[in-house]
Amino acid sequence: MFHTPLPQGEGLQLREWTEADVPALSALFDEPEMDRWTPLRAPFDETAARAYVARAHERRASGQALQLAITTDGQTPMGEVLLFVAAEDGSEVELGYGIGAPYRRQGLASRAVRLMLTHAFHDAPVRRAVLRIQPGNTASTAVARGTGFHLTDEPLVLRESGTRSVKLRTWELRREAVADAWRTFITFATTEAHAAD
């Protein structure tokens, strides 16, 4: 699933995090909205950023996850998009994303999610992609809708983040839905989604 080359397109160049990104990573993630809506807790200093990069490399090497910096020039990180295995048989993947405050409202999250979905569905076993979104997170909800995901009626998923517990709704996109409307899927971006992420 975490094959090469890495997904590119939509005006983005996704790449792996490096040690040189530690200062920028800390600057992107050490802010209130990241602390509120993502598993990353504040303060997210350079020590935390360095450990995060190391963990991302470990997860890629073990085939658990792919965590990529979102850039438009192959250099300056503007956020992150994640893809990880959510079912032991490889039939389900989960995505996540976070955009740094200076780079929001440029459609970066929606574009990165579309690229990662193309990457994920390239692998035959993947039947479903999911997003887990906290109720009230209107920006992420807009990204989900704008990239073709649909809210399910599955029970809320409880996730622990530091000393905090959050309950998340499940949004899904199934392979057959993509296959049936691929042209729409790869070009679809609502004004709401573009403005929100």
Side-chain angles (χ1 to χ4, degrees):
M1 181 179 303
F2 306 118
H3 50 83
T4 55
L6 296 177
Q8 309 294 333
E10 301 236 9
L12 301 182
Q13 296 183 47
L14 305 183
R15 63 169 178 81
E16 293 196 69
W17 294 105
T18 71
E19 183 74 15
D21 292 319
V22 164
L25 185 59
S26 175
L28 286 173
F29 288 174
D30 191 24
E31 61 99 16
E33 290 299 294
M34 290 290 188
D35 180 72
R36 181 181 183 187
W37 299 119
T38 78
L40 303 173
R41 298 280 69 87
F44 192 84
D45 57 17
E46 291 194 10
T47 298
R50 189 169 289 106
Y52 189 84
V53 170
R55 178 60 176 154
H57 291 173
E58 291 172 0
R59 296 179 77 189
R60 171 77 187 275
S62 66
Q64 295 178 330
L66 184 60
Q67 298 172 235
L68 301 178
I70 299 171
T71 85
T72 56
D73 59 4
Q75 299 181 41
T76 305
M78 307 166 84
E80 180 182 54
V81 62
L82 305 88
L83 173 70
F84 56 94
V85 178
E88 289 186 4
D89 63 0
S91 65
E92 182 172 297
V93 295
E94 184 171 341
L95 291 90
Y97 42 83
I99 305 299
Y103 306 109
R104 291 172 188 154
R105 299 186 178 275
Q106 299 178 39
L108 294 172
S110 294
R111 287 185 275 161
V113 166
R114 286 194 292 269
L115 286 177
M116 289 293 256
L117 285 169
T118 303
H119 192 73
F121 284 122
H122 177 80
D123 288 282
V126 178
R127 308 305 305 171
R128 184 173 91 138
V130 299
L131 297 169
R132 314 280 191 194
I133 299 175
Q134 192 172 341
N137 188 341
T138 56
S140 282
T141 296
V143 171
R145 289 197 176 109
T147 50
F149 283 80
H150 298 280
L151 183 62
T152 73
D153 59 1
E154 296 174 21
L156 293 177
V157 175
L158 181 65
R159 292 268 172 89
E160 303 292 336
S161 179
T163 59
R164 190 162 67 193
S165 298
V166 295
K167 293 182 178 180
L168 307 174
R169 291 174 174 163
T170 298
W171 295 71
E172 71 169 10
L173 181 65
R174 293 187 175 273
R175 174 183 286 272
E176 55 268 27
V178 176
D180 290 343
W182 188 254
R183 185 185 301 275
T184 301
F185 169 72
I186 63 175
T187 59
F188 186 71
T190 62
T191 301
E192 180 185 18
H194 184 78
D197 64 296

